[in-house]
Structure formats: C-alpha cells, structure tokens
Amino acid sequence: MTDLTLEPHMRVCRAGDILDDDLDGELVMMDIERGSYFGLNKTATRIWALLEQPVVIKDLCEQLTSEFNVPAEQCSKEVSVFLQNLLARGLLQVVTDGRS
C-alpha cells in the first residue's frame, strides 16, 4: 500500500504483469504476482484501456467526459477514487521523467 495521493497533473499508467480478458462485456483482471483478481465494469474497463500508455489524470478525465454522459466534477472524483484503489493494489504507477 502507498501513502501517495494522486493529483490531476500526475502522469500514470498500468503497473505490473496483469492478465486481462473480456468476460460477457466486463473485464476480468488477474494479478499473477499477488494471486488476486478483479472484475471491471464498462467505465472502469475503458479507464484500464486508456492506462495502457502513460496519461495525465486530468487528460484521462477529459477523455472520459467526452465519451460518457457524466459531469466533469463527478468524473474527476470517481476516477480519483478508482485510480487511488488501483495504486493501493499495485496495479497503477506514477510515471516520472517521461518513463514508467
């Protein structure tokens, strides 16, 4: 677990070796290293797809508000909670100096 609080200006991307696959319209992810698995709904699946490459959190939220009918403030709050959860589980990393 990490004490780092994510900020809108931070660049983030996926971390670790996570296997994922579509199962009836939802993404199922498995963290081989920790032996845990997670199921993601449609919105979380889209976020996970966007995290394949490093992205600034603010830009990620702007992309999501353009794709989904959600107010920017609500999107920002919910994305923040989701990303913080991924970070705590070791599934997200902050990118520094242009490298992950």
Side-chain angles (χ1 to χ4, degrees), residues 13-91:
C13 69
R14 297 177 187 180
D17 292 323
I18 307 299
L19 298 175
D20 58 41
D21 197 13
D22 184 87
L23 183 64
D24 295 328
E26 291 191 359
L27 189 72
V28 177
M29 303 179 347
M30 177 167 238
D31 182 347
I32 301 292
E33 189 175 304
R34 291 179 179 84
S36 34
Y37 66 93
F38 312 91
L40 302 181
N41 66 22
K42 180 180 176 182
T43 306
T45 296
R46 180 62 180 138
I47 295 170
W48 186 250
L50 292 169
L51 291 171
E52 188 171 4
Q53 299 296 321
V55 62
V56 174
I57 295 170
K58 179 179 173 273
D59 296 341
L60 173 67
C61 291
E62 288 175 5
Q63 178 69 35
L64 292 168
T65 57
S66 75
E67 293 179 23
F68 295 93
N69 184 22
V70 60
E73 187 175 316
Q74 178 184 352
C75 182
S76 179
K77 286 179 183 177
E78 292 182 14
V79 166
S80 178
V81 169
F82 179 69
L83 294 179
Q84 211 55 65
N85 192 354
L86 290 178
L87 184 66
R89 295 183 186 316
L91 302 175

